[in-house]
């Protein structure tokens, strides 16, 4: 019997209070994953290093409490829905990457995101062959634990096959690194009995022709259902067997510290085509020939139901319309290391199509933009299906694999079954080269009748798949979703092998129990999440978690996905009449969900459905304001010039006071400042901050092209100081000089004071006041620019992003990055300095797609540029850096180490630069300072 009281006491004592969460809202929100299953964990524990892992395992063994290790929670099968304790892995220790053998191998610790591995390999021209759709969000630990594959990953190139080393810890606390001879030798000695039992299991399998042949046959295709039993047929050494059994074991056999894998050389040349066929049989006949004769990276198939769903897209190719009720399309891509090799590959494919006649033209595209547009048609399918479902439905996804020859029969059977139970809009699609079939159905998750229909679909499809020699899970892992069907796929004898294996490795059953091996025949249909309408902005969320990677608030409050989960749960509680509990959750949500959102909007850029969670948080902030607060905001907007002058004056006074007080007294005075203003103001000298300077006058040169320069209110209020505390030349003066240097006449508003784009009001949810300020500014800029004839420069990217979205399109507004490249590079001579500088692309720079151009601007000026990894938003979020400094601190927790060799940093937002200076321990200024310094 699990002793939770003792577990919590010992965990808090051995670790710290801050690492152990027992609050119901936090535990559930921190445990949510991409599956339809409701979190049931009772505790969440954060561990920062292997020593803490060992301590936690010791406590778990003593108290009988089970542990479920969590990566990024992108899995859709319920692998990370912990029964007892969810274990998270924050901190830098778990994020290390070692590139080995000139990129031919790479070692990544479990907390590294898949895309980060490929980024580390990019300079070597190599990449990781596993390529799941979640690669930009999924952790390597999770990918290894589920044996993730992906679009172009063949069976011989998955993590199981590419692995050369594994570092893991077993349930008894034993640590094994297969790349360390001494570690393996100690393990052979200390666990001789365990290894003998594994050898005996292998002998049992190899001595039974039926079991052995079943394993070999089923792992010729993609298969992530159950344990990787092919480890017994592929290897003789029990240590090798154990290491490979851990791949795909979903945390039920051990904890994966790191994995070392072989990599492949990047093939830079690609060619893509989208081809239509009149029947599925013709399409699959083409696939079989392509597999035998051609070098293909990917072949995706879309049946007629899927094509019908995609036809609503403006970019849907006209030649695929009207192909008939059995039509099928193939999306093909081949790649090569040279243009000549690519041409040969394409010629081979064309030869196949001369034999198997498609009904549409075969046009191979090599322009990367056109290739991506074709792939975007395929990528749009799931968002289309998921985005049109009812708010009380969950996008339930399944994936199966059959031998390619059986693909037509499987697809037809799937569609028949789906239509039989009313899922007429659910088509089938998938990775044709692998026989991998996907479908998604809208599950009315709280409706017993709907759940019953889905249960029948799953049961009937499972029988078809097994009958065709297939696997019930190709990519998404077993989890609770497929656990009841283990015997159907594997048979009683091999299921007994799996139970024996679990008993040998984890006899106390403390490692993620009930996930693969579960005797409840309905575990795939019970314990489901609330699916309740909240708001049309967020109702289509599929809980995939792709947004969390760029969310800066997950470590101090709730992440973007967790916010939506919490809102749905609150709505569900109210629907069930549990209003007292709903009120409690709602009060907590206001603090840790609404108030701590950075509202940067980056979550929408990662969301497959484009959901603007940040925008919804701003909407909730607006709804939370009283009429009195709104009235005060309106008054502030009308008298903004007075507030601007007061803020600038206070910063100038505070800056002088801080200089007199010295750093320690200035820091101590922060408590008094917070008590009076509600803000935590850092030592202003430490962040190089002082009050703003007066806006300069324009400079007109007869006959010269003109530019309107609008200095943002943040720049007008906040000036820069140097390391000695002396005021630096204002950014406004620098910008005017730079423009004059480039031969421009500079036009400034005669009365810039009081003008504002409304950004600071918008982030607080005060949209009426924000739009009023924007309209006021729009009128001024239209007049100054001759109704858009003259370009407008604003040095603050977040303000420009808002103006581009909301302002009259006649206003040609640019932020500094685009302005420099488009309007200054050809007019100025750049003198490149021997210097290493850091860049912080703001959220708005990222949203506008200007990160690479930002680097380009800096590389015109200096020899070395660093853009820190894993920092997407600084978390300062307007004035959040003053009111909730913990958000800024968490977002920039890895900054200082990454820029320690840089002389200074540059960005394009004055408030962001305050937080970056504070936590990077280097002065950050606007990029225009650097451009001015390095041009003549």
């Amino acid at each position: 019997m699990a002793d939770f009281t003792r577990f919590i006491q010992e965990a808090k004592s051995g670790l710290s209070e801050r690492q152990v969460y027992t609050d119901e809202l936090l535990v559930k929100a921190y445990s949510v994953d991409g599956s339809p299953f409701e979190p049931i964990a009772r505790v969440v524990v954060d561990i920062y290093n292997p020593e803490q892992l060992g301590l936690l395992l010791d406590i778990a063994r003593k108290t009988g409490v089970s542990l479920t290790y969590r990566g990024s929670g992108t899995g859709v099968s319920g692998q990370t829905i912990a029964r007892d304790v969810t274990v998270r892995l924050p901190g830098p220790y778990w994020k290390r990457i070692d590139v080995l053998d000139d990129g031919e191998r790479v070692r990544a610790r479990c907390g590294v995101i898949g895309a980060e591995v490929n980024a580390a390999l990019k300079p070597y021209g190599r990449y990781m062959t596993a390529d799941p759709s979640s690669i930009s969000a999924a952790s390597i630990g999770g990918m290894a634990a589920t044996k993730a594959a992906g679009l172009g990953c063949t069976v011989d190139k998955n993590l199981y096959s590419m692995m050369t080393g594994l570092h893991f810890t077993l349930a008894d606390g034993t640590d094994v690194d297969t790349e360390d001879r001494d570690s393996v030798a100690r393990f052979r000695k200390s666990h001789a009995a365990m290894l003998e039992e594994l050898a005996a299991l292998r002998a049992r399998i190899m001595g039974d022709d039926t079991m052995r042949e079943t394993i070999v046959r089923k792992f010729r295709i993609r298969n992530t259902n159950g344990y990787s039993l092919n480890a017994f047929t592929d290897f003789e050494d029990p240590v090798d067997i154990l290491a490979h059994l851990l791949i795909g074991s979903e945390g039920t056999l051990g904890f994966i510290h790191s994995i070392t894998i072989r990599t492949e050389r990047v093939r830079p040349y690609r060619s893509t085509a989208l081809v239509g066929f009149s029947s599925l049989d013709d399409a699959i006949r083409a696939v079989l020939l392509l597999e035998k004769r051609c070098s293909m990276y990917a072949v995706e198939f879309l049946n007629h139901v899927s094509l019908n769903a995609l036809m609503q897209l403006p970019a849907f190719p006209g030649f695929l319309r009207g192909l008939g009720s059995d039509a099928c399309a193939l999306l093909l891509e081949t790649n090569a290391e040279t243009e000549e090799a690519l041409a040969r590959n394409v010629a081979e494919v064309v030869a196949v199509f001369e034999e198997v006649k498609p009904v549409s033209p075969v046009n191979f595209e090599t322009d990367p933009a056109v290739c991506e547009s074709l792939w975007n048609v395929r990528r749009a399918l799931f968002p289309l299906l998921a985005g049109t479902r009812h708010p009380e439905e969950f996008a339930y996804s399944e994936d199966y694999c059959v031998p390619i020859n059986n693909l037509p029969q499987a697809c037809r059977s799937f569609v028949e079954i789906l239509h039989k139970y009313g899922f007429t809009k659910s088509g089938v699609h998938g990775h044709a080269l692998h026989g991998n079939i996907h479908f998604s159905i809208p599950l009315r998750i709280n409706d017993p009748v709907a759940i019953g229909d889905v249960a029948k679909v799953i049961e009937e499809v499972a029988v078809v798949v097994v009958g065709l020699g297939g696997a019930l899970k190709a990519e998404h892992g077993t989890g609770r979703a497929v656990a009841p069907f283990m015997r159907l796929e594997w048979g009683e004898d091999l299921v007994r092998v799996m139970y024996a294996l679990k008993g040998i490795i984890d006899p106390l059953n403390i490692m993620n129990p009930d996930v693969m091996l579960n005797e409840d025949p309905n575990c795939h249909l019970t314990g489901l999440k609330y699916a309740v309408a909240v708001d049309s902005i967020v109702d289509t969320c599929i809980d995939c978690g792709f947004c969390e990677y760029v969310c800066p608030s997950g470590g101090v409050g709730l992440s973007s996905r967790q916010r939506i989960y919490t809102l749905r749960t609150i709505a569900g509680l109210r629907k069930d009449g549990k209003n007292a509990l709903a009120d409690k959750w709602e009060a907590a949500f206001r603090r840790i969900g609404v108030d701590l959102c950075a509202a940067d909007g980056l979550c929408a850029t990662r969301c497959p459905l484009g959901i603007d969670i940040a925008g919804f948080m701003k909407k909730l902030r607006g709804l939370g304001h009283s009429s009195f607060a709104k009235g005060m905001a309106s008054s502030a907007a009308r008298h903004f010039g007075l507030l601007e002058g007061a803020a600038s004056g206070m910063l100038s006074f505070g800056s002088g006071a801080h200089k007199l007080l010295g750093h320690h007294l200035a820091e101590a005075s922060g408590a008094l400042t917070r008590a009076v203003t509600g803000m935590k103001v850092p030592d202003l000298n430490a962040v190089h901050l002082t009050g703003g300077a007066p806006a300069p006058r324009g400079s007109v040169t007869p006959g010269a092209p003109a530019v309107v320069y609008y200095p943002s209110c943040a720049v007008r209020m906040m000036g820069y100081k140097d390391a000695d505390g002396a005021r630096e030349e204002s950014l406004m003066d620098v910008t005017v000089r730079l423009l004059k240097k480039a031969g421009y006449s500079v036009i400034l508003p005669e009365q810039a004071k009081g003008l504002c784009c409304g950004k600071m009001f918008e982030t607080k949810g005060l949209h009426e006041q924000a739009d009023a300020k924007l309209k006021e500014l729009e009128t001024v800029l239209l007049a100054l620019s001759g109704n858009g004839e003259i370009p407008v420069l604003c040095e603050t990217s977040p303000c420009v992003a808002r103006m581009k979205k909301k302002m009259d399109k006649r206003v040609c507004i640019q932020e500094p990055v685009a302005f420099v490249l488009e309007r200054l590079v050809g007019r100025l001579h750049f003198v490149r300095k021997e210097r290493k500088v850091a860049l912080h692309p703001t959220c708005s720079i990222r949203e506008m797609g200007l990160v690479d151009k930002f680097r380009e601007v800096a590389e015109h000026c200096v020899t070395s540029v660093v853009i820190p990894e894993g920092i997407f938003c600084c978390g300062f979020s307007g004035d959040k850096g003053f009111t909730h400094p913990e958000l800024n601190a968490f977002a920039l927790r890895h900054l200082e180490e990454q820029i320690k060799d840089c002389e200074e940093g540059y960005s394009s937002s004055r408030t962001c630069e305050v937080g970056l200076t504070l936590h990077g321990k280097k002065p950050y200024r606007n990029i225009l300072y650097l451009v001015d310094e390095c041009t003549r």
Side-chain angles (χ1 to χ4, degrees), residues 653-663 665-666 683 685 721:
F653 175 79
S655 175
H658 278 204
K659 186 174 183 180
L660 289 173
L661 289 169
H663 177 72
L665 283 176
D683 181 339
N685 287 305
K721 300 171 71 173

Side-chain angles (χ1 to χ4, degrees), residues 322-450:
L323 296 184
S325 60
D326 191 32
C328 182
L330 296 180
L331 178 60
L332 317 152
E333 182 158 314
T334 180
N335 54 35
E337 292 191 28
T338 65
E339 289 188 69
E340 294 76 15
L342 183 68
R344 288 195 297 271
N345 289 354
V346 170
E348 291 172 351
V349 176
V350 171
V352 165
F353 286 147
E354 288 175 356
E355 185 174 332
V356 182
K357 302 291 186 183
V359 293
S360 71
V362 181
N363 295 320
F364 273 90
E365 303 287 352
T366 55
D367 182 334
V370 179
C371 292
E372 283 304 300
S373 71
L374 292 174
W375 277 107
N376 285 337
V377 172
R378 163 66 180 86
R379 292 173 185 136
L381 181 60
F382 182 64
L384 271 177
L385 296 174
T388 56
R389 71 190 194 281
H390 190 274
E392 294 187 359
E393 293 173 339
F394 189 88
Y396 190 90
S397 299
E398 280 295 354
D399 79 305
Y400 304 92
C401 193
V402 296
I404 298 179
N405 289 332
N406 294 334
L407 199 54
Q409 185 178 344
C411 290
R412 285 203 169 80
S413 298
F414 284 17
V415 172
E416 281 179 20
I417 294 168
L418 288 166
H419 287 199
K420 175 180 173 182
Y421 293 103
F423 299 107
T424 56
K425 294 183 179 180
S426 299
V428 294
H429 55 279
H431 316 311
L433 282 179
H434 312 294
N436 190 176
I437 314 168
H438 296 264
F439 65 77
S440 175
I441 52 182
L443 170 58
R444 197 168 284 260
I445 207 166
N446 305 125
D447 181 346
V449 174

Side-chain angles (χ1 to χ4, degrees), residues 699-707 739-740 742-747 790 827:
S699 175
V700 178
T701 304
V707 171
L739 293 172
K740 289 172 60 179
Y744 284 106
S745 285
V746 186
I747 304 170
I790 301 172
R827 290 175 163 269

Side-chain angles (χ1 to χ4, degrees), residues 99 241 250 445 743 757 775 792 818 843-844:
V99 178
I241 291 171
E250 300 180 6
I445 207 166
C757 71
K775 192 68 180 175
V792 179
C843 314
S844 45

